[in-house]
Amino acid sequence: MSEELPLHINIREPRWDQSTFQGRAKHFFMVTDPRNLLLSGATLEDARRVVENYRSGTVSPGLTEDQLWRAKYIYDSAFHPDTGEKMILIGRMSAQVPMNMTITGCMLTFYRTTPAVLFWQWVNQSFNAIVNYTNRSGDAPITVGQLGTAYVSATTGAVVTALGLKSLTKHLPSIIGRYVPFAAVAAANCINIPLMRQRELKFGIPVTDEDGNRLGESRAAAQQAITQVVVSRIGMAAPAMAIPPVIMNALEKRAFLKRYPWLNAPLQVGLVGFCLVFATPLCCALFPQKSSMRVSRLEPEVQALVREKNPHMEIVYFNKGL
């Protein structure tokens, strides 16, 4: 009979060392695995039970360490780390590759006409709004008004950028026009994410000590978290929106695609998907999920709270969101 699994395994943290890029990359390859979308509700609930039981000191009979880590990653793929609520299916990080490859592929394929630009930018920002809401940091609620403002502002910003650049590049080589969607996506991310998380900027996000004990809420931490997410999202989109246009521009000059023009969209979507399979986890891994900040960079009132609880503390931690 195998020994019962010990209770000292820290499943509140990722399995791999998050102080290194390699460790974070391994973690996010697991988190963004699209196969997690196919898991049944019963499997998700079973993973939740295993994780919550283990955290409370109860080990499921026969549970191995590999099974525990598998349950932890299934749990993390579907449940918000701060609130514990089940996340919207298409808002989960495991939906990033299949959803983005379809939307981005279509944005890059149908960029020539104004109605197509309007439609696909709207679809993209609708998806981004769901993702940003689902993966917000902290446990603060977002009002319908804040959601609406962020959604309308980001969609407007993306459409204005796309149409403005489209008109400016009208007389330039076609390869230049293919990069208009990327500029629009980058601009929209700079608008959408801060607006969707404006409550965090106004009231702050929870900051903790190394053991996860809550010390207060910080606006400075929220600013750092949101900046890191914006950089990651733009980086995530860059390879998928920069490499396929070069390949497609070359392919469209050849007889093959002229003979089978209907292959344009599937090829574009496939190329984008290939890029995203790697770009999504690698760009999520640019910054630690459990981000940190020196106490001296917090707001004076938050510094006072921290010093009151631990006069010698130099670093606080927070969930940056995704």
Side-chain angles (χ1 to χ4, degrees):
M1 183 179 290
S2 60
E3 293 183 8
E4 189 175 87
L5 195 67
L7 289 169
H8 61 72
I9 301 169
N10 185 9
I11 58 169
R12 293 188 182 276
E13 302 295 334
R15 187 172 193 175
W16 297 278
D17 181 6
Q18 296 300 284
S19 66
T20 68
F21 178 76
Q22 183 181 17
R24 295 196 296 271
K26 287 180 178 178
H27 168 69
F28 279 108
F29 269 106
M30 291 288 288
V31 170
T32 61
D33 187 343
R35 292 174 297 179
N36 288 334
L37 293 175
L38 304 176
L39 299 174
S40 67
T43 302
L44 297 179
E45 289 302 325
D46 185 57
R48 186 216 282 264
R49 179 183 54 78
V50 169
V51 168
E52 291 180 348
N53 283 351
Y54 187 84
R55 287 176 178 172
S56 66
T58 304
V59 179
S60 303
L63 185 69
T64 66
E65 184 172 350
D66 283 341
Q67 288 171 340
L68 176 63
W69 282 112
R70 174 62 180 154
K72 179 249 190 321
Y73 275 101
I74 290 174
Y75 174 83
D76 287 352
S77 77
F79 298 95
H80 193 277
D82 291 326
T83 65
E85 66 183 15
K86 187 180 285 188
M87 295 184 285
I88 303 164
L89 185 69
I90 64 170
R92 299 174 192 172
M93 291 308 293
S94 47
Q96 283 287 294
V97 171
M99 291 297 296
N100 271 326
M101 68 182 280
T102 304
I103 296 170
T104 304
C106 289
M107 278 199 294
L108 293 175
T109 302
F110 308 111
Y111 68 94
R112 291 185 175 90
T113 67
T114 298
V117 169
L118 288 169
F119 176 74
W120 286 108
Q121 289 296 336
W122 168 73
V123 170
N124 188 48
Q125 292 316 312
S126 298
F127 173 63
N128 282 344
I130 293 170
V131 172
N132 292 336
Y133 171 76
T134 305
N135 294 283
R136 67 199 181 281
S137 174
D139 48 17
I142 297 176
T143 67
V144 174
Q146 290 168 337
L147 279 172
T149 301
Y151 175 68
V152 171
S153 301
T155 304
T156 303
V159 168
V160 168
T161 303
L163 294 181
L165 290 175
K166 183 174 177 291
S167 65
L168 290 174
T169 58
K170 197 178 295 182
H171 303 296
L172 296 175
S174 62
I175 185 66
I176 303 297
R178 288 179 179 273
Y179 287 102
V180 168
F182 174 59
V185 166
N189 273 321
C190 293
I191 299 167
N192 195 334
I193 296 170
L195 279 172
M196 189 63 67
R197 296 174 60 174
Q198 60 185 290
R199 199 179 196 287
E200 298 172 34
L201 292 170
K202 187 176 181 180
F203 298 106
I205 57 175
V207 292
T208 70
D209 61 18
E210 196 169 7
D211 298 321
N213 299 309
R214 192 161 173 160
L215 303 169
E217 287 76 37
S218 168
R219 296 184 300 278
Q223 290 169 11
Q224 179 172 307
I226 290 168
T227 300
Q228 290 176 344
V229 171
V230 169
V231 171
S232 294
R233 290 287 185 85
I234 293 174
M236 201 184 295
M241 302 190 84
I243 297 171
V246 175
I247 297 172
M248 293 303 298
N249 201 56
L251 288 177
E252 285 180 2
K253 294 175 182 176
R254 299 180 181 275
F256 177 72
L257 267 188
K258 289 179 180 177
R259 188 180 307 166
Y260 306 105
W262 57 270
L263 282 175
N264 194 309
L267 270 175
Q268 194 108 240
V269 169
L271 285 169
V272 169
F274 179 77
C275 293
L276 285 173
V277 163
F278 299 98
T280 300
L282 293 177
C283 287
C284 283
L286 288 175
F287 305 100
Q289 186 62 38
K290 184 181 179 180
S291 199
S292 62
M293 175 180 274
R294 298 195 69 83
V295 173
S296 59
R297 292 182 55 203
L298 299 171
E299 305 91 304
E301 63 273 21
V302 183
Q303 287 186 43
L305 274 175
V306 173
R307 297 295 184 206
E308 185 182 328
K309 294 175 181 178
N310 188 336
H312 305 294
M313 186 172 293
E314 295 296 328
I315 303 289
V316 293
Y317 301 88
F318 53 90
N319 172 24
K320 72 176 174 65
L322 289 169

